[in-house]
Amino acid sequence: MRTLTLALASTLYGMWLSTASARSIVKGCPGYSASHVTTTSHGLHALLTLNGPPCNIYGQDIADLALTVRADTDSRLHIHISDTANTQFQIPESVLPLDKGAGTDKRHSSLQFVHTHSKTSGFGFKVLRGGKPIFDTTGHPLVFEDQYLELTSNVPADANIYGLGESPNWFRRDPQNTTITLWNRDVADPLGENVYGSHSVFMELRDKQFHGCYLHNSHGMDVILANQTVQFRVLGGTLDLYFFAGPSALSVVDQYTQLVGRPNRIPYWALGFHNCRFGYTGVGEVNQVIANYSAARIPLEAAWTDIEYMDSTRDFTFDNANYPLDKMRKQLDYLHARGQKMVLITDPAIHVNDSYGTYTRGQELDVFIKNADGSEYIGQVWPGYTTFPDWFAPNVSRWWSDELKRYFEALPIDGMWIDMNEPASFCIGSCGSGRPRDEVPTPPWVAKPPGRPLDRNNRLLVPPYAINNHETELSSKTVETIAVHANGVAEYHVHNLYGLMESRATYDFLRAYRPNVRPFVLSRSTFAGSGALVSHWTGDNAATWQDLHVSIASTFDFGIFGIPMVGADICGFYRNTTEELCARWVQLGAFYPFSRSHNSRWLRPQEPYRWPSVAESARRALGVRYALLSYIYTCYQNAVERGWPVARPLVFEYPHMTETAGNDRQMLVGDSILVSPVLLKGDRSVDAFFPPGRWFDWYNHSLIDGIGANVTLDAPLEHINVHIRGGRIVPVQQPEMTTAKLRQNDFELIVAADADGTAAGQLYMDDGETLDTPHRWLDFNFYQRSLWIDQRSGTYAISRPLAKLVLLGVHGVRDVFVNGVMATCAISASRTSTVITGLSIDLNRKSRVTFA
């Protein structure tokens, strides 16, 4: 009931906000007229001038605009509306380099641009695919002011729109009462509000096909779905739009990540199971946690430690009493000897203290954000009064890399976790200015942060249009919007870029420090293009059943955003979890691309070995995950090469079925594995939707013939339902406690035949560590009772053979021939499966396996 109440309140508030303001906001605005239209082979250029007296709703109308339209590729159309004076802030190419595309003849483009003129609303345009509009601004005046842009497109009343965020919510955005605000914010995952990252990209399913749209703009904004429209309301910049033709969901993400950057290559170990807790008392407790995982026979790939390892929570230091460096080194050596890893946290805020070398060296190199008077901007974070690196400062990369080098030389950890990088601050304004240099405010700092009078006449502090940021002002809990960067730009314009820029500086250091080792960086704050640098977790969620459910949608969102390596804190970060909730969460979390248990101090510990049912749930679900890691790694390589999400909603694979449009209760891993978790307290069964086709139970290989309807499945407390899609071939290995041991095991193939007796799959392998590793792509095809293993590309030597075949839906096998030679093997059969063991097939050569 509480979930329903929260959802209803959010719905009613969103309905009031969107409908009440959308109808009145553009009253009296003249729009623009197009003139001096010049066509090119790739598109056109035009001048847009105000179509009447300015309305000056939330600033000063800009009279003269430039319109540029370009077919970047045959599936991507770029439309840019900018001020001719070129004074509006635009994202620098150095911050987010975009793929411009070679340009294509507009006659051959999948997307066409058409512009129109109305006496009442002025200039409008349509983006057409196959002669039908996928974006249509006609009837809505364009508003372009110095601090307010508004662009509105018509959409169907029942539009299926996905993406836009970061905002924890249900996956399909309600087309009639949704407001999504983009302003990076340190907050504990409230439903429907803006949180840590900003992603102004969405995809829409229309007429059973997908298309996409991305607004390249770093300013705060609201994106409102109401009154059969999608409306951008932006606090500045330009309207720099990219449209993606699709027509599949995967091709939209492919086209988007081609523009902003493909997902980064992660190390293989990152796909293992991770553990962290904010509040471990010392290195000895962490050592005991590591041992407890081993004793419980629950896989543990990496041990993480939060800020408590630091000396007074200052970056690049170690607490000599509880986390002395020598003991941390011993812990790292212990982990490495067992094929495990260590990841530690780093925050961007730097303690203002003249005895703290990281601060004094940064001050000497002039790398910190400034106040308007040129003094250091001093906020307040965990160590006390803090400065913030200015990622636009000329010397900042040199300083950051030098500090990281000192840190890594002291303790060569395996990965970095960068947090609080919205950036977060516990006070409003430069609250540490004028305070004694070494003063530390009395905790709890977040209870009563120092304030400052709000200058309501300063339009960078209080812009005329108020986005739906759920704080008292834009500067709440972050760096003040009037703070100044080294390039002279106010924080107002670049706030949403902070996490991206820290990610790039950190990634670049790791690439230089370990030139041939794949970096692993986990970042809380993200922006378009972050996926090329970092992975992400969904932040400070709560131990509630609602947050368990919403985590699926958030994982899907980041697949659209080009950050496929994503997951939520398993069992919830804040509030005390329960045994039942944690059991269900570890089952679902075993299938997040990034899988980590984490919670806050002051709460009960919740490592999965704490309860018998949770421990058993973890062993079972993580056993499935580790068995599937070669398959998941293959899925991730498709993300690297094509942007394709690892975790997918059913609608991505079945867009023609209305039942899948809003389904965020199940998760596909790749295109072959369907996970149907329990999401409600007390349930011991789950109603799972099965699209038409064969679906085989992971555990007992029983068959469900899907007809496009729900099937009620038993789901005891320690069980999660997993099914293999008919028509697919899935590579697996016997699970182990670490990925290092797992990679030493022989390969197996699960061949799940469809009703026609065919199946297909693939396997990607490399060394999982280096950047210049050879690779090998294999294609598997099963038809006419033969399995073909084809070498697509690469020279990587796969050391383990194919030793076992599980044929689902294939019967009557008496003999097995490998490349025409009868194999010596064991064959066992059941009603739905045939299992063949004792094989030793070299996966480095082309082979044919025939079943007689």
Side-chain angles (χ1 to χ4, degrees):
M1 185 64 187
R2 184 175 177 279
T3 298
L4 292 175
T5 302
L6 282 170
L8 179 61
S10 175
T11 296
L12 291 175
Y13 177 75
M15 183 181 298
W16 170 82
L17 178 75
S18 58
T19 58
S21 53
R23 290 171 180 165
S24 61
I25 200 165
V26 297
K27 185 177 180 180
C29 290
Y32 287 78
S33 296
S35 64
H36 300 84
V37 179
T38 303
T39 62
T40 69
S41 61
H42 296 158
L44 62 82
H45 302 280
L47 177 67
L48 302 180
T49 54
L50 274 174
N51 194 40
C55 59
N56 297 329
I57 300 178
Y58 294 115
Q60 298 298 311
D61 282 23
I62 296 177
D64 297 312
L65 306 177
L67 167 67
T68 302
V69 180
R70 182 177 185 263
D72 286 350
T73 70
D74 59 4
S75 59
R76 186 176 83 215
L77 184 69
H78 182 199
I79 300 174
H80 192 193
I81 302 173
S82 60
D83 58 313
T84 56
N86 202 32
T87 58
Q88 293 287 99
F89 179 80
Q90 298 182 46
I91 300 172
E93 185 77 8
S94 60
V95 173
L96 178 51
L98 299 180
D99 173 78
K100 301 299 184 184
T104 191
D105 190 318
K106 62 188 177 184
R107 296 172 300 177
H108 302 149
S109 172
S110 299
L111 299 175
Q112 302 297 321
F113 174 86
V114 177
H115 63 94
T116 61
H117 184 84
S118 162
K119 289 183 179 180
T120 56
S121 59
F123 165 81
F125 70 87
K126 297 180 182 181
V127 177
L128 307 177
R129 180 183 60 191
K132 296 181 179 180
I134 60 170
F135 198 86
D136 177 8
T137 74
T138 58
H140 306 283
L142 167 65
V143 181
F144 201 114
E145 299 175 346
D146 55 348
Q147 281 189 267
Y148 182 75
L149 313 178
E150 182 177 299
L151 184 71
T152 308
S153 173
N154 302 305
V155 297
D158 59 348
N160 295 306
I161 293 176
Y162 311 93
L164 300 168
E166 181 180 6
S167 179
N169 215 321
W170 316 118
F171 181 52
R172 177 181 179 265
R173 308 308 189 192
D174 187 329
Q176 291 305 320
N177 56 16
T178 294
T179 297
I180 298 175
T181 299
L182 276 61
W183 184 256
N184 294 357
R185 173 175 172 235
D186 170 24
V187 66
D189 283 8
L191 186 71
E193 296 182 16
N194 55 304
V195 291
Y196 318 102
S198 291
H199 297 273
S200 49
V201 60
F202 71 87
M203 61 168 59
E204 181 188 351
L205 174 62
R206 190 183 299 189
D207 298 328
K208 302 178 182 179
Q209 292 186 326
F210 283 93
H211 62 268
C213 172
Y214 166 59
L215 173 60
H216 188 58
N217 188 303
S218 61
H219 290 81
M221 69 180 76
D222 287 334
V223 186
I224 297 175
L225 307 180
N227 306 316
Q228 295 183 236
T229 62
V230 55
Q231 185 177 82
F232 290 95
R233 301 178 184 177
V234 192
L235 296 183
T238 67
L239 292 170
D240 197 2
L241 295 155
Y242 293 85
F243 296 93
F244 311 103
S248 71
L250 297 186
S251 58
V252 170
V253 181
D254 181 4
Q255 292 150 17
Y256 173 64
T257 56
Q258 182 185 33
L259 174 70
V260 301
R262 300 294 197 196
N264 69 99
R265 296 177 69 190
I266 58 170
Y268 199 99
W269 64 262
L271 292 173
F273 186 71
H274 305 253
N275 182 83
C276 188
R277 175 173 163 80
F278 177 26
Y280 285 134
T281 57
V283 67
E285 185 178 6
V286 178
N287 287 339
Q288 187 60 55
V289 168
I290 297 167
N292 290 346
Y293 268 93
S294 179
R297 300 300 296 163
I298 298 172
L300 178 64
E301 192 69 23
W304 296 49
T305 307
D306 212 311
I307 58 174
E308 55 271 1
Y309 80 87
M310 303 176 187
D311 177 16
S312 303
T313 65
R314 295 183 295 187
D315 280 350
F316 315 127
T317 65
F318 298 90
D319 178 352
N320 286 329
N322 300 306
Y323 289 89
L325 181 56
D326 61 330
K327 291 186 178 180
M328 292 291 283
R329 286 173 175 158
K330 288 180 181 178
Q331 183 184 94
L332 182 62
D333 291 342
Y334 177 90
L335 289 166
H336 284 177
R338 287 154 180 78
Q340 296 168 299
K341 308 295 180 181
M342 177 187 285
V343 181
L344 301 181
I345 196 170
T346 298
D347 293 339
I350 302 299
H351 188 208
V352 176
N353 188 305
D354 290 335
S355 65
Y356 177 37
T358 295
Y359 169 69
T360 58
R361 288 186 290 270
Q363 192 179 47
E364 290 170 3
L365 291 173
D366 194 22
V367 301
F368 299 123
I369 294 174
K370 300 291 195 298
N371 290 304
D373 63 5
S375 62
E376 283 181 356
Y377 180 93
I378 303 176
Q380 187 182 11
V381 193
W382 300 114
Y385 293 124
T386 57
T387 55
F388 297 86
D390 178 2
W391 305 112
F392 289 99
N395 293 323
V396 71
S397 292
R398 170 185 160 193
W399 164 77
W400 188 247
S401 293
D402 182 60
E403 298 306 315
L404 285 172
K405 182 179 179 182
R406 294 169 185 265
Y407 177 53
F408 271 74
E409 287 180 348
L411 187 69
I413 59 176
D414 301 289
M416 288 196 65
W417 173 19
I418 53 177
D419 191 13
M420 305 287 284
N421 53 347
E422 293 72 35
S425 180
F426 298 158
C427 67
I428 301 178
S430 187
C431 60
S433 293
R435 307 296 302 181
R437 304 289 290 173
D438 299 334
E439 178 182 355
V440 177
T442 303
W445 304 312
V446 293
K448 228 177 175 183
R452 53 96 177 94
L454 176 60
D455 181 1
R456 295 189 175 275
N457 294 318
N458 189 317
R459 288 165 37 125
L460 293 182
L461 285 173
V462 186
Y465 174 73
I467 60 174
N468 191 32
N469 178 43
H470 287 256
E471 297 290 347
T472 56
E473 57 173 288
L474 284 182
S475 299
S476 293
K477 299 180 71 174
T478 190
V479 170
E480 197 169 33
T481 52
I482 58 173
V484 180
H485 291 268
N487 57 356
V489 174
E491 173 72 6
Y492 174 91
H493 301 288
V494 298
H495 168 77
N496 288 339
L497 298 175
Y498 196 90
L500 169 66
M501 296 186 73
E502 185 195 16
S503 297
R504 187 172 300 282
T506 305
Y507 179 88
D508 287 349
F509 160 75
L510 290 171
R511 283 294 309 272
Y513 185 70
R514 295 170 174 165
N516 197 29
V517 176
R518 300 178 202 180
F520 178 76
V521 184
L522 187 80
S523 177
R524 189 167 77 172
S525 184
T526 59
F527 192 76
S530 285
L533 308 166
V534 297
S535 304
H536 177 66
W537 91 107
T538 60
D540 297 346
N541 59 357
T544 67
W545 290 91
Q546 176 178 276
D547 279 33
L548 169 66
H549 184 170
V550 169
S551 74
I552 301 176
S554 296
T555 301
F556 294 162
D557 287 343
F558 275 87
I560 295 173
F561 301 157
I563 309 176
M565 186 62 171
V566 61
D569 282 345
I570 292 171
C571 300
F573 177 75
Y574 72 95
R575 298 188 187 179
N576 282 313
T577 194
T578 66
E579 180 176 358
E580 181 187 10
L581 175 60
C582 199
R584 294 306 190 189
W585 210 322
V586 77
Q587 291 165 11
L588 172 62
F591 297 94
Y592 295 150
F594 173 65
S595 186
R596 183 185 69 165
S597 173
H598 181 43
N599 79 319
S600 182
R601 60 183 176 184
W602 307 300
L603 301 174
R604 289 194 299 266
Q606 62 186 36
E607 297 88 357
Y609 54 75
R610 298 281 177 178
W611 302 271
S613 68
V614 181
E616 182 60 23
S617 294
R619 282 188 289 267
R620 292 187 190 182
L622 290 171
V624 179
R625 177 190 183 88
Y626 273 65
L628 283 168
L629 276 191
S630 61
Y631 167 76
I632 295 172
Y633 190 64
T634 300
C635 292
Y636 196 87
Q637 185 62 25
N638 277 318
V640 171
E641 296 184 14
R642 300 178 177 88
W644 293 355
V646 176
R648 304 174 191 171
L650 278 165
V651 70
F652 280 17
E653 296 292 323
Y654 299 93
H656 57 286
M657 303 190 69
T658 57
E659 297 89 344
T660 66
N663 186 335
D664 53 18
R665 301 175 302 280
Q666 295 168 273
M667 176 192 295
L668 282 167
V669 180
D671 66 357
S672 305
I673 302 296
L674 178 62
V675 181
S676 304
V678 170
L679 302 173
L680 295 175
K681 181 180 179 180
D683 279 6
R684 296 298 183 267
S685 65
V686 60
D687 291 333
F689 181 79
F690 285 91
R694 288 178 162 187
W695 298 88
F696 295 92
D697 184 278
W698 170 270
Y699 308 95
N700 62 22
H701 302 155
S702 60
L703 171 65
I704 291 177
D705 281 314
I707 59 171
N710 283 348
V711 176
T712 300
L713 304 172
D714 289 337
L717 180 58
E718 297 167 348
H719 180 76
I720 184 168
N721 281 281
V722 180
H723 287 82
I724 306 163
R725 183 179 177 183
R728 299 297 187 268
I729 299 175
V730 179
V732 297
Q733 292 171 285
Q734 285 299 305
E736 297 284 356
M737 293 296 102
T738 64
T739 60
K741 291 195 69 176
L742 173 78
R743 286 175 63 97
Q744 297 171 17
N745 289 344
D746 293 345
F747 284 92
E748 306 170 14
L749 290 181
I750 301 175
V751 180
D754 61 16
D756 295 327
T758 65
Q762 53 188 195
L763 172 65
Y764 173 86
M765 287 298 293
D766 58 24
D767 69 11
E769 298 178 1
T770 64
L771 290 162
D772 67 358
T773 172
H775 77 276
R776 188 174 295 274
W777 269 110
L778 303 179
D779 290 311
F780 307 119
N781 288 281
F782 179 78
Y783 57 92
Q784 296 178 352
R785 296 180 68 85
S786 287
L787 171 67
W788 296 86
I789 302 173
D790 292 312
Q791 306 292 318
R792 187 196 307 177
S793 66
T795 60
Y796 176 75
I798 299 177
S799 61
R800 305 309 304 168
L802 174 60
K804 180 179 177 181
L805 293 170
V806 179
L807 308 180
L808 304 182
V810 179
H811 309 288
V813 177
R814 298 181 306 277
D815 296 305
V816 178
F817 295 85
V818 178
N819 299 320
V821 179
M822 181 181 288
T824 301
C825 58
I827 303 172
S828 61
S830 69
R831 187 168 59 87
T832 57
S833 66
T834 301
V835 178
I836 303 164
T837 57
L839 299 170
S840 183
I841 300 173
D842 184 358
L843 290 174
N844 300 295
R845 55 173 294 193
K846 182 175 181 177
S847 296
R848 180 186 181 184
V849 185
T850 304
F851 309 97

